[in-house]
mmCIF file of all heavy atoms in Angstrom:
data_model
loop_
_atom_site.group_PDB
_atom_site.id
_atom_site.type_symbol
_atom_site.label_atom_id
_atom_site.label_comp_id
_atom_site.label_asym_id
_atom_site.label_seq_id
_atom_site.Cartn_x
_atom_site.Cartn_y
_atom_site.Cartn_z
ATOM 1 N N GLN A 94 -6.280 11.459 -2.213
ATOM 2 C CA GLN A 94 -5.360 11.950 -3.238
ATOM 3 C C GLN A 94 -4.274 12.779 -2.562
ATOM 4 O O GLN A 94 -4.565 13.600 -1.691
ATOM 5 C CB GLN A 94 -6.116 12.815 -4.243
ATOM 6 C CG GLN A 94 -5.243 13.565 -5.237
ATOM 7 C CD GLN A 94 -6.056 14.565 -6.041
ATOM 8 O OE1 GLN A 94 -7.247 14.382 -6.249
ATOM 9 N NE2 GLN A 94 -5.410 15.632 -6.482
ATOM 10 N N LEU A 95 -3.029 12.555 -2.930
ATOM 11 C CA LEU A 95 -1.950 13.414 -2.457
ATOM 12 C C LEU A 95 -2.018 14.715 -3.241
ATOM 13 O O LEU A 95 -1.716 14.754 -4.431
ATOM 14 C CB LEU A 95 -0.597 12.739 -2.641
ATOM 15 C CG LEU A 95 0.621 13.564 -2.218
ATOM 16 C CD1 LEU A 95 0.585 13.875 -0.729
ATOM 17 C CD2 LEU A 95 1.911 12.840 -2.588
ATOM 18 N N GLU A 96 -2.431 15.782 -2.588
ATOM 19 C CA GLU A 96 -2.656 17.050 -3.274
ATOM 20 C C GLU A 96 -1.391 17.892 -3.365
ATOM 21 O O GLU A 96 -1.142 18.550 -4.377
ATOM 22 C CB GLU A 96 -3.752 17.833 -2.554
ATOM 23 C CG GLU A 96 -4.165 19.108 -3.276
ATOM 24 C CD GLU A 96 -5.320 19.811 -2.590
ATOM 25 O OE1 GLU A 96 -5.275 19.981 -1.348
ATOM 26 O OE2 GLU A 96 -6.275 20.183 -3.279
ATOM 27 N N GLU A 97 -0.593 17.863 -2.306
ATOM 28 C CA GLU A 97 0.618 18.688 -2.275
ATOM 29 C C GLU A 97 1.594 18.071 -1.297
ATOM 30 O O GLU A 97 1.200 17.518 -0.270
ATOM 31 C CB GLU A 97 0.263 20.117 -1.850
ATOM 32 C CG GLU A 97 1.397 21.107 -1.967
ATOM 33 C CD GLU A 97 0.980 22.521 -1.611
ATOM 34 O OE1 GLU A 97 -0.130 22.712 -1.089
ATOM 35 O OE2 GLU A 97 1.791 23.447 -1.823
ATOM 36 N N GLN A 98 2.879 18.163 -1.607
ATOM 37 C CA GLN A 98 3.885 17.605 -0.716
ATOM 38 C C GLN A 98 5.166 18.420 -0.783
ATOM 39 O O GLN A 98 5.616 18.820 -1.859
ATOM 40 C CB GLN A 98 4.198 16.145 -1.066
ATOM 41 C CG GLN A 98 5.200 15.492 -0.113
ATOM 42 C CD GLN A 98 5.515 14.045 -0.477
ATOM 43 O OE1 GLN A 98 5.162 13.575 -1.552
ATOM 44 N NE2 GLN A 98 6.194 13.343 0.423
ATOM 45 N N GLY A 99 5.745 18.680 0.376
ATOM 46 C CA GLY A 99 7.078 19.229 0.502
ATOM 47 C C GLY A 99 7.879 18.309 1.397
ATOM 48 O O GLY A 99 7.393 17.265 1.839
ATOM 49 N N GLU A 100 9.098 18.678 1.700
ATOM 50 C CA GLU A 100 9.938 17.798 2.517
ATOM 51 C C GLU A 100 9.312 17.525 3.881
ATOM 52 O O GLU A 100 9.341 16.387 4.369
ATOM 53 C CB GLU A 100 11.321 18.415 2.705
ATOM 54 C CG GLU A 100 12.270 17.510 3.487
ATOM 55 C CD GLU A 100 13.668 18.095 3.632
ATOM 56 O OE1 GLU A 100 13.861 19.257 3.231
ATOM 57 O OE2 GLU A 100 14.540 17.395 4.160
ATOM 58 N N SER A 101 8.702 18.553 4.495
ATOM 59 C CA SER A 101 8.216 18.408 5.865
ATOM 60 C C SER A 101 6.697 18.531 5.981
ATOM 61 O O SER A 101 6.177 18.701 7.089
ATOM 62 C CB SER A 101 8.883 19.445 6.772
ATOM 63 O OG SER A 101 8.553 20.758 6.352
ATOM 64 N N PHE A 102 5.983 18.433 4.867
ATOM 65 C CA PHE A 102 4.520 18.482 4.942
ATOM 66 C C PHE A 102 3.915 17.711 3.777
ATOM 67 O O PHE A 102 4.552 17.491 2.739
ATOM 68 C CB PHE A 102 3.997 19.931 4.930
ATOM 69 C CG PHE A 102 4.009 20.560 3.559
ATOM 70 C CD1 PHE A 102 2.875 20.522 2.756
ATOM 71 C CD2 PHE A 102 5.151 21.166 3.060
ATOM 72 C CE1 PHE A 102 2.874 21.084 1.491
ATOM 73 C CE2 PHE A 102 5.172 21.730 1.789
ATOM 74 C CZ PHE A 102 4.030 21.690 0.999
ATOM 75 N N ALA A 103 2.656 17.318 3.953
ATOM 76 C CA ALA A 103 1.899 16.686 2.878
ATOM 77 C C ALA A 103 0.422 16.936 3.139
ATOM 78 O O ALA A 103 -0.034 16.896 4.284
ATOM 79 C CB ALA A 103 2.177 15.188 2.801
ATOM 80 N N THR A 104 -0.318 17.204 2.046
ATOM 81 C CA THR A 104 -1.750 17.468 2.143
ATOM 82 C C THR A 104 -2.506 16.414 1.351
ATOM 83 O O THR A 104 -2.180 16.151 0.182
ATOM 84 C CB THR A 104 -2.095 18.865 1.603
ATOM 85 O OG1 THR A 104 -1.319 19.842 2.295
ATOM 86 C CG2 THR A 104 -3.580 19.169 1.804
ATOM 87 N N PHE A 105 -3.519 15.820 1.981
ATOM 88 C CA PHE A 105 -4.305 14.744 1.390
ATOM 89 C C PHE A 105 -5.748 15.212 1.223
ATOM 90 O O PHE A 105 -6.288 15.914 2.073
ATOM 91 C CB PHE A 105 -4.255 13.506 2.279
ATOM 92 C CG PHE A 105 -2.857 12.970 2.469
ATOM 93 C CD1 PHE A 105 -2.032 13.504 3.452
ATOM 94 C CD2 PHE A 105 -2.359 11.960 1.667
ATOM 95 C CE1 PHE A 105 -0.744 13.032 3.639
ATOM 96 C CE2 PHE A 105 -1.072 11.479 1.835
ATOM 97 C CZ PHE A 105 -0.256 12.017 2.823
ATOM 98 N N LEU A 106 -6.374 14.783 0.118
ATOM 99 C CA LEU A 106 -7.702 15.276 -0.246
ATOM 100 C C LEU A 106 -8.658 14.120 -0.510
ATOM 101 O O LEU A 106 -8.318 13.157 -1.202
ATOM 102 C CB LEU A 106 -7.603 16.144 -1.507
ATOM 103 C CG LEU A 106 -8.918 16.592 -2.154
ATOM 104 C CD1 LEU A 106 -9.665 17.562 -1.249
ATOM 105 C CD2 LEU A 106 -8.649 17.226 -3.528
ATOM 106 N N LEU A 107 -9.876 14.243 0.040
ATOM 107 C CA LEU A 107 -10.986 13.356 -0.286
ATOM 108 C C LEU A 107 -12.188 14.224 -0.618
ATOM 109 O O LEU A 107 -12.480 15.189 0.092
ATOM 110 C CB LEU A 107 -11.321 12.448 0.903
ATOM 111 C CG LEU A 107 -12.426 11.410 0.655
ATOM 112 C CD1 LEU A 107 -11.946 10.314 -0.285
ATOM 113 C CD2 LEU A 107 -12.905 10.800 1.980
ATOM 114 N N THR A 108 -12.891 13.898 -1.721
ATOM 115 C CA THR A 108 -14.067 14.664 -2.113
ATOM 116 C C THR A 108 -15.253 13.728 -2.322
ATOM 117 O O THR A 108 -15.095 12.499 -2.393
ATOM 118 C CB THR A 108 -13.828 15.450 -3.417
ATOM 119 O OG1 THR A 108 -13.854 14.544 -4.537
ATOM 120 C CG2 THR A 108 -12.483 16.169 -3.399
ATOM 121 N N ASP A 109 -16.426 14.323 -2.452
ATOM 122 C CA ASP A 109 -17.633 13.532 -2.685
ATOM 123 C C ASP A 109 -17.552 12.755 -3.992
ATOM 124 O O ASP A 109 -18.206 11.720 -4.155
ATOM 125 C CB ASP A 109 -18.867 14.439 -2.686
ATOM 126 C CG ASP A 109 -18.766 15.551 -3.717
ATOM 127 O OD1 ASP A 109 -18.047 16.535 -3.458
ATOM 128 O OD2 ASP A 109 -19.388 15.440 -4.784
ATOM 129 N N LYS A 110 -16.749 13.229 -4.938
ATOM 130 C CA LYS A 110 -16.612 12.532 -6.215
ATOM 131 C C LYS A 110 -15.763 11.276 -6.096
ATOM 132 O O LYS A 110 -15.727 10.450 -7.022
ATOM 133 C CB LYS A 110 -16.016 13.473 -7.261
ATOM 134 C CG LYS A 110 -16.896 14.669 -7.588
ATOM 135 C CD LYS A 110 -16.243 15.582 -8.599
ATOM 136 C CE LYS A 110 -17.127 16.789 -8.909
ATOM 137 N NZ LYS A 110 -16.488 17.719 -9.871
#
Side-chain angles (χ1 to χ4, degrees):
Q94 171 189 332
L95 178 63
E96 186 176 47
E97 188 177 10
Q98 183 181 12
E100 183 178 7
S101 62
F102 77 94
T104 304
F105 299 84
L106 172 67
L107 183 71
T108 75
D109 57 283
K110 296 179 181 178

